[in-house]
Structures are given as structure tokens and as C-alpha cells.
Amino acid sequence: MKLMFASDIHGSAYYCEKMLECYRREKAERLWILGDILYHGPRNDLPKEYAPKKVIAMLNDIKEEICAVRGNCDTEVDQMVLEFPILADYSLLAADGLRLYATHGHVYNEQHMPPLMAGDILIHGHTHIYEIKKTGEHVILNPGSVSIPKGGNPPTYGILEDRVFSVRDLDGQILKSIEL
């Protein structure tokens, strides 16, 4: 099973299209969006080609392939225009014998862990900085941001395949990976 994880599109039609090009190139079975889909938020500058209506159309075209969780910039009005569920605060995912707790990261994160069992994996966005980290009995994954990366990072996404999670730039180059 091959899954793609992306976070923090923030209404950028330019980067949404780039993300979908990566998704098609990777031939992933599902696209997991870890929140902050349409709105740029009050703390961020407008991303390149900020056009939420175009993002809506692009994502609705593949609605059957998307799983999403709510980010701190996602609201009920966003759900009214997106044709796939986005308002869950988290989702539990079992894949390749792994248990992942997928959330945006503004509520649950390394500083405020959700109730995980030993061996569970927390995957979230929100910080706009990619990360792969083992901490005690858990692994914390963050695919970074597709459109507004921080910390000097390029736009990134994550791939989970054959129990390996990798963070990749938009050219598909692996920046960091971990065998889970």
C-alpha cells in the first residue's frame, strides 16, 4: 500500500496543482490531507496563486481518493464547498501493520500527545516544518507544508510505502526517511 500525506495547502492553486502532480507521479492509493486546505490564516502571507475556488475544484475532482482531517484554519463553510469530509479532528489509520494517529497538529503534537498505545505513530502538519522523530515508544511524522514551508525548507509531502515513511520535495527527491 502506498499513501501520500500532505498538509497546509492554504488555498494555493499553484501548490495544490504541484501536489496533485506529485500524487499522480507517485501513484499513491490515497491522498491524506492533514488540514489547512483553503484559508491562508491570519499569521501567514498569501501563498503563491492564492485561489481557494480553484483548489476546491481540483480536490473535488478526486474526492474519492482523499482522506482529510481539520486544521485550525478549516471551518464549516469550507466543508460546504468541499465534497469530502474535512471536519474530523483526527483519524486512526491501520496500514501495513502500523497504527497511525493522523491529525493537524494544532491540538495534538509532540508537546501534547494524544492517547497513543506503545508503537503508535503520530502524523501531523501545522508547523510547516517536516520532521521524522522517534520519541520513547512512538514515532512522530510531519510531512511539512505544500505551500508555505518554514524554517528554510522547500515545499514537501510524505510517502508511506512498505513501512517506510519519507519526506520528499516536489521533485520527488527524498529529504529524510525512516523505516517503521
Side-chain angles (χ1 to χ4, degrees):
M1 175 179 289
K2 186 174 190 178
L3 303 173
M4 181 171 163
F5 293 85
S7 190
D8 299 284
I9 301 165
H10 287 292
S12 171
Y14 176 84
Y15 284 108
C16 184
E17 180 58 40
K18 294 285 185 192
M19 175 192 72
L20 293 176
E21 288 172 8
C22 294
Y23 177 67
R24 289 187 287 272
R25 181 183 67 235
E26 295 284 359
K27 295 182 173 70
E29 293 177 43
R30 292 269 184 193
L31 174 59
W32 281 78
I33 301 177
L34 301 174
D36 286 0
I37 299 169
L38 300 178
Y39 178 53
H40 63 88
R43 294 177 296 186
N44 297 312
D45 292 331
L46 286 175
K48 185 174 185 174
E49 290 183 27
Y50 180 68
K53 288 182 182 178
K54 289 182 182 178
V55 172
I56 292 164
M58 285 186 267
L59 295 178
N60 282 344
D61 280 349
I62 63 163
K63 63 187 173 196
E64 303 86 7
E65 301 170 50
I66 296 175
C67 295
V69 294
R70 180 183 68 86
N72 58 302
C73 293
D74 299 323
T75 67
E76 288 84 4
V77 73
D78 300 326
Q79 184 63 84
M80 293 171 67
V81 295
L82 291 167
E83 297 172 359
F84 52 92
I86 67 161
L87 294 178
D89 287 328
Y90 68 92
S91 182
L92 297 175
L93 167 66
D96 293 332
L98 302 169
R99 292 181 313 269
L100 288 93
Y101 187 104
T103 191
H104 179 61
H106 65 294
V107 175
Y108 290 114
N109 51 56
E110 184 177 358
Q111 286 71 45
H112 185 241
M113 294 288 280
L116 300 177
M117 295 172 58
D120 286 353
I121 299 163
L122 173 64
I123 184 164
H124 69 84
H126 183 61
T127 64
H128 298 226
I129 298 171
Y130 72 82
E131 181 175 43
I132 295 175
K133 184 177 186 178
K134 285 189 176 185
T135 173
E137 299 178 318
H138 306 106
V139 175
I140 298 171
L141 306 174
N142 187 327
S145 174
V146 171
S147 70
I148 308 174
K150 296 182 180 175
N153 290 308
T156 53
Y157 63 94
I159 292 290
L160 176 61
E161 181 178 31
D162 297 328
R163 297 179 62 97
V164 173
F165 182 83
S166 59
V167 173
R168 301 174 186 205
D169 66 18
L170 297 183
D171 292 325
Q173 299 299 310
I174 296 173
L175 304 177
K176 195 169 184 179
S177 67
I178 187 171
E179 188 168 339
L180 301 168

